[in-house]
Amino acid sequence: FFIIILQSVFHIFIIRSVQSVWYNTPQSGDGSQGGVSSVYAEPSWQKSSSQANSVITAQGSGRGTPDIAAVGANMYIWITSSNGTSGWQELWGTSIASPLAAGVIAVMDYYRGSNYGFIDPLVYQLGQAEVNGSYASAKPFYFVANGSNGMFSAQNGYSLVVGWGSINAYNFVLASENIVSHTYTVTFTESGLPSGTTWSVTLAGTTKSSSTNTITFSEPNGSYSFSVGSVSGYTASPSSGTVTVNGANVNQAITF
């Protein structure tokens, strides 16, 4: 599972900056591409965005690509090789766009406590909210509304040439604060059972079992009821109770 990234070129002007579709004609093979898959079905998170869904279904009934965009042309990086030579190297296409976007998302995920997980549903939720005007002063995306790739044109919002455009990392994190919660580990550790004995714990309606001495859950801040499943010939203490997550991992001992 990954975000499909295609490119936009970043033009810098003295007064303002805009992002435009990178496209060098079909013959050259360079530039942003996109469309609707004839193999993979449109996923739920695209259907849940009214704008993305309308753009996609106007062209077909499959997975729309891309999801986001990143700089894809006129980029130079300094490379040092294993033999000691070094110099500037021009990169274009996904060779630069993919690592740039992956790095941005990795930094955002680290800041958020590594709780983004599969990020596509969040991308489409925030993109649609920005279209609806929810983030007028702190927009999570730079919508790319200039240019086309010969088949599809960019627009304000989602398009089949640059997706939702490029991510504004700071604003994206701020926008996601109210959607994605930090989660913490809740670990139940048993003692008293013979090695290999299966036992179980139900926490907040979810039941997990194990034949080791630990059972682990992941929960955001809050108070959660738990109960320990019965094991023939043994009594658990405590057999039920409440654990409270408050910005830190929680450990609960269970004695049989």
Side-chain angles (χ1 to χ4, degrees):
F1 298 95
F2 57 93
I3 289 181
I4 299 171
I5 302 167
L6 296 180
Q7 312 79 35
S8 64
V9 61
F10 190 52
H11 300 286
I12 300 179
F13 299 97
I14 296 175
I15 299 176
R16 65 186 180 89
S17 62
V18 296
Q19 299 183 54
S20 300
V21 175
W22 172 40
Y23 185 63
N24 293 340
T25 77
Q27 287 72 32
S28 67
D30 295 337
S32 299
Q33 301 178 35
V36 178
S37 175
S38 60
V39 177
Y40 297 100
E42 182 184 1
S44 59
W45 58 89
Q46 290 191 323
K47 292 181 179 179
S48 66
S49 164
S50 58
Q51 191 198 38
N53 183 62
S54 65
V55 170
I56 292 168
T57 54
Q59 301 296 329
S61 59
R63 168 74 155 97
T65 63
D67 296 319
I68 61 172
V71 175
N74 303 326
M75 293 294 293
Y76 283 83
I77 64 172
W78 184 265
I79 296 179
T80 300
S81 65
S82 58
N83 63 11
T85 61
S86 59
W88 290 103
Q89 173 68 49
E90 182 181 7
L91 294 179
W92 58 89
T94 50
S95 295
I96 188 66
S98 294
L100 279 175
V104 168
I105 292 172
V107 171
M108 293 192 305
D109 187 53
Y110 176 80
Y111 177 80
R112 291 287 297 123
S114 300
N115 66 346
Y116 274 150
F118 181 46
I119 202 172
D120 260 7
L122 179 61
V123 165
Y124 280 81
Q125 184 176 357
L126 293 183
Q128 183 62 50
E130 184 173 331
V131 169
N132 294 343
S134 298
Y135 303 108
S137 60
K139 298 177 180 179
F141 295 97
Y142 296 106
F143 289 155
V144 180
N146 305 297
S148 73
N149 63 2
M151 292 186 64
F152 307 108
S153 296
Q155 63 175 356
N156 191 53
Y158 180 84
S159 73
L160 292 173
V161 57
V162 288
W164 292 107
S166 58
I167 291 177
N168 180 314
Y170 182 76
N171 290 345
F172 190 100
V173 168
L174 290 180
S176 66
E177 289 284 351
N178 295 326
I179 298 174
V180 181
S181 301
H182 284 286
T183 58
Y184 301 91
T185 300
V186 180
T187 302
F188 293 84
T189 303
E190 69 82 15
S191 61
L193 291 177
S195 178
T197 302
T198 299
W199 63 296
S200 65
V201 175
T202 299
L203 178 69
T206 298
T207 301
K208 292 186 177 182
S209 60
S210 175
S211 57
T212 69
N213 70 331
T214 60
I215 294 176
T216 301
F217 296 83
S218 183
E219 302 292 344
N221 289 334
S223 294
Y224 305 93
S225 298
F226 74 87
S227 61
V228 181
S230 61
V231 177
S232 180
Y234 293 88
T235 300
S237 179
S239 60
S240 62
T242 301
V243 294
T244 299
V245 179
N246 186 22
N249 296 333
V250 176
N251 295 289
Q252 173 66 55
I254 305 294
T255 302
F256 283 91

